Amino acid sequence: MYPMRTRYAPSPTGYLHLGHVVNAIVTWGVARASGGQVWLRIEDHDRRRCKPEYEDGIREDLAWLGFIPDDEAPRQRAREDRYAERLGELEVGAGVDDPADDGPFGA
């Protein structure tokens, strides 16, 4: 069995708040209790509101609280091409039966 690997994924659209801290306590607690790892993943998909100073603040606050990630997962934005590719495969009607027609799942 592989050790647990989980992620903590704040969005740098503002500074760390109490909800983030509670989530960090649970995430790190579960991972450490099982001998697992926590990876930091920056959810930077909101280009308008994400700011470098918020990301820096989140990292500093996590370190101050003692939550040091074991590694980093790719940023949300780093995989945009892959997401677009997969969304293209999910076009309307791509392998999905319409329950309103007379197909295998139809009326």
Side-chain angles (χ1 to χ4, degrees), residues 20-91:
H20 290 122
V21 175
V22 170
N23 186 297
I25 291 168
V26 172
T27 301
W28 262 267
V30 169
R32 296 301 184 243
S34 69
Q37 296 182 332
V38 177
W39 286 29
L40 180 65
R41 176 180 176 166
I42 300 298
E43 298 285 341
D44 60 350
H45 50 82
D46 186 343
R47 293 176 187 219
R48 186 176 57 81
R49 296 188 308 146
C50 288
K51 299 197 180 332
E53 59 267 27
Y54 294 149
E55 181 177 341
D56 293 344
I58 288 170
R59 290 176 184 278
E60 289 171 13
D61 291 346
L62 288 173
W64 183 83
L65 291 166
F67 298 120
I68 309 300
D70 298 295
D71 205 342
E72 293 209 16
R75 294 172 163 275
Q76 184 85 11
R77 206 182 282 183
R79 297 183 50 108
E80 283 181 339
D81 291 343
R82 179 68 175 141
Y83 297 147
E85 176 186 324
R86 297 298 291 175
L87 281 172
E89 295 172 8
L90 296 174
E91 291 179 359

